[in-house]
Amino acid sequence: MNGNVILVGAGPGDPGLLTQKGRWALEQAEVVVFDRLVSPAILALIPPQAEAIDVGKESSHHLVPQEQINQILLEKAQAGKRVVRLKGGDPFLFGRGGEELELLQAHGIPFQVVPGVTSALSVPAYAGIPVTHRDFCSSLHIVTGHAKAGAELNIDFDALRRTGGTLVFLMGVSALPKICRGLLEAGMDPETPAAVVEKGTLPRQRKVLSTLQALPQAAERAQVKSPAIIVVGKVCSLSDRFDWFDSLPLKGKEVVVTRPADRSGTLSERLRQLGANVTEYPCIRTVARDPSPELDHAIANLSRYRWVVFTSPVGPRIFFDRLRTLGKDARALAGCKLAAIGPKTASALSHRGLTADLVPETYDSAHLAEAMAQVEGPVLLCRASQGSDALPELFSKNSIPFDDVPCYDTVYEAPNPAAVLDLLKQPVLVTFTSASTVRGFVQSLPGADLSMVLGCCIGRQTAAEAKKYGIAVVVAREATMESLIECIKEV
Ligand code: SAH
């Protein structure tokens, strides 16, 4: 039985500009055939069990010839697969989407098209250029600056000038001098505002604003490279006033997020929205202890405990998974009070229908210990095997009986140190959300020079750990993600 092919536009680069429908298609895919301009964050959505085929094309030499791409799509679909053909921007705008569909259609392969956000409109938008504006123009023309191998540019510059509209050129970096000359020779005003925008919508977006006459020189001085688009028209004069993207607080900043992979999403996303170039570098992972005789024993004797304490959102997850495996549910905690180290941990409890009785004002183990100084035991501590000493020390000192049950282990792992080693040569912010992320980070980069690193730490204990390794630090006012983000904004 035949499979099908969905042609999906991945948008211009900012992963947030992938459409919902594109995302759904990607998540269902069995085979994904993708191009060079698709951003890594979107490629990360490809299901791990799917086959990912990179047919990325460099502008002059095609990595995989078009005919072969068409053939791959056909063969995979004929093998019964759900195929996604993922292309930069919109698949039909200078994307050869049409060519790819011809062979499929001829062979009766079912296909669909998910349009994408094209760079022709979105890159100007991120550069503060509305492609039309009633005061300036009444049309927009999207033109390719790419000539077929060995051929001359085939652009009717006279016709373009006569439209009086905004002109957007794709694939035009190497032909920029020719394009500008063509327009000038056709009689366009040399002072017409014009711009080149490189790596549009991405954290490393750069724009060069100039006039039609001076643009080629300005672009050369700035060493603009592909991918970039050229915009010619009065609307470019608005770019400075509408410069929202370049004005974002973290624009141009390199940030490494060290959280465990399953928990990095929102922090990374928030930082990206603020303009940062985020590299996810999960250097720790939490692994439930299995088997866990201590936890099983504690669960069998829950009615003995007056308090159960969780020191991270992982704790409730592992505790309740185990509870369920043992055939019990939340009612087993009926006689216990619950303490959570912070709001995220409290919310992990409330997702399970339980309200924390105690959350310290400052979200770290020292303050949790302080808040629990007078409680009545016995206390059950459900936490990482390498947890901080603050709680056990306080309970011992105050003669409060307690059981410290290791529910999970923190595993250090180094996914791809090379990517981070490169970043360390320039000023780079590294987020640390626990002392273990500091240890994981340092261990993964033995001998590395950390002098350019500014550790953005969630709390004092984390900062103290970073200082041990000579890392300069800033510390969030409160131990929450919001506060950490505020602290990074102020750097
Ligand atoms: N189908 C794509 C265009 C493919 S042609 C779309 O709709 O966007 C490739 C050209 O698109 C590049 O040479 C460049 O001119 C432009 N382009 C794509 N992504 C871009 C980006 N992030 N920034 C600037 N130009 C981009």
Side-chain angles (χ1 to χ4, degrees):
M1 205 187 67
N2 279 344
N4 66 331
V5 177
I6 310 184
L7 204 55
V8 174
D14 178 344
L17 297 179
L18 173 70
T19 63
Q20 291 263 24
K21 201 167 173 180
R23 191 189 174 119
W24 292 331
L26 211 49
E27 285 169 352
Q28 310 293 322
E30 292 171 308
V31 178
V32 179
V33 181
F34 64 92
D35 277 345
R36 182 174 62 101
L37 287 180
V38 178
S39 68
I42 291 178
L43 296 180
L45 297 172
I46 299 175
Q49 67 280 12
E51 182 185 4
I53 305 176
D54 179 359
V55 293
K57 302 175 208 147
E58 295 293 337
S59 79
S60 48
H61 69 281
H62 286 193
L63 219 61
V64 179
Q66 187 62 49
E67 297 68 40
Q68 203 177 326
I69 298 176
N70 302 348
Q71 204 59 41
I72 294 173
L73 297 176
L74 178 64
E75 280 167 17
K76 294 293 175 188
Q78 281 176 334
K81 302 290 184 195
R82 282 191 302 273
V83 183
V84 162
R85 172 67 174 117
L86 193 59
K87 300 171 81 74
D90 180 86
F92 279 170
L93 187 74
F94 302 135
R96 299 185 142 200
E99 292 169 47
E100 294 178 0
L101 294 189
E102 275 169 22
L103 190 66
L104 301 175
Q105 188 268 336
H107 284 81
I109 303 287
F111 58 81
Q112 293 185 22
V113 181
V114 180
V117 172
T118 176
S119 62
L121 303 179
S122 56
V123 172
Y126 273 54
I129 304 173
V131 285
T132 71
H133 187 297
R134 282 207 301 180
D135 294 346
F136 298 127
C137 62
S138 55
S139 67
L140 160 72
H141 309 270
I142 302 172
V143 185
T144 170
H146 182 74
K148 283 204 169 150
E152 275 300 296
L153 268 186
N154 182 19
I155 301 175
D156 185 342
F157 290 110
D158 267 323
L160 288 180
R161 178 192 53 80
R162 279 198 306 275
T163 64
T166 303
L167 309 178
V168 171
F169 295 88
L170 271 62
M171 296 180 275
V173 177
S174 47
L176 177 63
K178 281 189 192 158
I179 291 170
C180 294
R181 195 170 347 115
L183 291 170
L184 289 169
E185 283 171 5
M188 196 177 256
D189 181 354
E191 294 306 311
T192 308
V196 184
V197 187
E198 178 193 271
K199 296 200 177 72
T201 78
L202 293 164
R204 296 206 182 116
Q205 169 177 313
R206 290 198 300 156
K207 80 176 168 193
V208 175
L209 273 180
S210 185
T211 60
L212 179 58
Q213 182 168 247
L215 189 65
Q217 257 196 333
E220 198 184 321
R221 227 178 300 127
Q223 298 197 339
V224 171
K225 293 193 186 59
S226 177
I229 71 161
I230 303 160
V231 191
V232 179
K234 289 191 185 132
V235 286
C236 293
S237 63
L238 299 166
S239 177
D240 274 339
R241 276 167 57 204
F242 294 168
D243 197 22
W244 65 274
F245 187 59
D246 276 340
S247 316
L248 290 173
L250 298 180
K251 183 76 203 335
K253 293 239 166 81
E254 295 289 344
V255 184
V256 174
V257 171
T258 62
R259 304 202 84 191
D262 53 340
R263 293 170 62 203
S264 61
T266 26
L267 178 59
S268 303
E269 206 31 64
R270 299 269 302 274
L271 295 170
R272 282 196 186 109
Q273 277 170 16
L274 295 168
N277 192 36
V278 175
T279 304
E280 291 194 345
Y281 187 61
C283 32
I284 63 164
R285 196 159 45 93
T286 46
V287 184
R289 285 213 162 174
D290 189 13
S292 178
E294 293 103 324
L295 181 58
D296 289 357
H297 183 258
I299 287 176
N301 294 288
L302 270 180
S303 58
R304 276 188 50 229
Y305 296 103
R306 307 297 287 266
W307 282 89
V308 181
V309 181
F310 295 102
T311 59
S312 98
V314 183
R317 176 160 59 75
I318 287 169
F319 181 88
F320 282 91
D321 282 352
R322 198 67 207 156
L323 206 58
R324 204 173 313 119
T325 310
L326 297 175
K328 302 191 178 206
D329 62 25
R331 285 170 293 184
L333 284 163
C336 305
K337 291 197 159 189
L338 301 172
I341 196 161
K344 278 272 144 57
T345 307
S347 114
L349 287 170
S350 77
H351 281 142
R352 293 166 174 92
L354 299 165
T355 306
D357 299 282
L358 188 158
V359 181
E361 263 178 38
T362 300
Y363 313 130
D364 60 24
S365 18
H367 288 84
L368 179 59
E370 215 173 275
M372 296 195 72
Q374 304 300 333
V375 300
E376 215 177 296
V379 177
L380 172 61
L381 275 171
C382 291
R383 56 185 203 145
S385 50
Q386 309 91 328
S388 117
D389 294 331
L391 285 159
E393 274 170 12
L394 173 112
F395 292 143
S396 306
K397 190 171 126 223
N398 292 3
S399 312
I400 301 172
F402 70 98
D403 288 325
D404 190 1
V405 171
C407 297
Y408 49 95
D409 293 303
T410 304
V411 179
Y412 299 113
E413 57 180 10
N416 181 13
V420 169
L421 275 175
D422 253 2
L423 292 175
L424 297 182
K425 295 175 190 145
Q426 56 201 321
V428 58
L429 309 178
V430 181
T431 65
F432 293 123
T433 46
S434 67
S436 51
T437 60
V438 177
R439 287 191 288 272
F441 181 77
V442 174
Q443 284 185 18
S444 72
L445 302 163
D449 175 6
L450 301 178
S451 58
M452 299 292 247
V453 172
L454 181 62
C456 303
C457 302
I458 196 148
R460 280 182 298 140
Q461 284 160 355
T462 305
E465 189 70 20
K467 282 190 211 153
K468 276 193 209 159
Y469 299 100
I471 298 174
V473 295
V474 288
V475 189
R477 243 170 248 127
E478 262 183 58
T480 62
M481 284 304 139
E482 284 64 37
S483 186
L484 181 61
I485 289 165
E486 280 310 308
C487 160
I488 295 172
K489 271 162 71 178
E490 286 162 18
V491 164

